[in-house]
Amino acid sequence: MLSIMLAARDSKNLASFAVGLEQNDQIEMVHVDSAAKALEMVRNQDIDLVVVGEELADMRPIEFVSQLVTIRPMINTAIVSGLSPHDFHEATEGLGVLMQLPPSPSTEDAAALLGKVDDLSALLGRPKTGVAKQ
């Protein structure tokens, strides 16, 4: 089972992406709208992947990920961002962000992210999560 948190002020832009994730019965998903709620949940629950929308109710997404990795340094993260790939890399360097997602990510973006999670598991010598479609 893969536990995924969607952290976004407005989850409408993530609706199609969430559908892509929810198609897999090996995924358990939770939605939060603020960094405070997300950080509290990460402290108290086993969350495998945090997908951060373009806005949170109380913090900028990159600032949130900076705080998140101090709590759980090896947590997988993806951020929705309209920055150019170069600017995104510059802004998130050192945070271990697994993937930049486009604004209004699609079901295909969900599949690509799950594929990256499986690839990372294989690189770390862990069993694949089995959530990526074969």
Side-chain angles (χ1 to χ4, degrees):
M1 186 69 66
L2 186 70
S3 180
I4 300 175
M5 174 187 295
L6 294 181
R9 179 182 212 163
D10 180 12
S11 59
K12 287 181 214 155
N13 287 345
L14 296 174
S16 147
F17 179 78
V19 166
L21 296 175
E22 291 171 334
Q23 290 175 357
N24 189 307
D25 61 1
Q26 293 300 306
I27 292 177
E28 154 181 291
M29 229 170 23
V30 62
H31 300 255
V32 296
D33 65 355
S34 73
K37 288 178 190 173
L39 292 170
E40 183 64 26
M41 288 187 78
V42 167
R43 283 185 187 99
N44 297 310
Q45 295 181 26
D46 189 22
I47 305 290
D48 301 302
L49 171 65
V50 178
V51 177
V52 187
E54 285 189 287
E55 290 183 13
L56 293 164
D58 54 353
M59 193 177 296
R60 291 185 340 238
I62 294 172
E63 181 184 351
F64 162 67
V65 172
S66 293
Q67 289 188 21
L68 178 65
V69 297
T70 64
I71 295 167
R72 295 259 314 276
M74 297 301 289
I75 196 163
N76 291 314
T77 58
I79 302 175
V80 175
S81 174
L83 292 174
S84 72
H86 173 77
D87 289 344
F88 182 81
H89 174 76
E90 290 295 314
T92 61
E93 189 170 14
L95 296 178
V97 175
L98 189 59
M99 186 175 178
Q100 176 183 6
L101 294 166
S104 300
S106 66
T107 56
E108 290 83 11
D109 294 314
L113 178 58
L114 294 177
K116 284 187 180 273
V117 169
D118 258 357
D119 291 346
L120 182 59
S121 292
L123 282 173
L124 295 174
R126 300 178 187 150
K128 284 193 171 195
T129 62
V131 294
K133 292 190 178 183
Q134 302 299 321

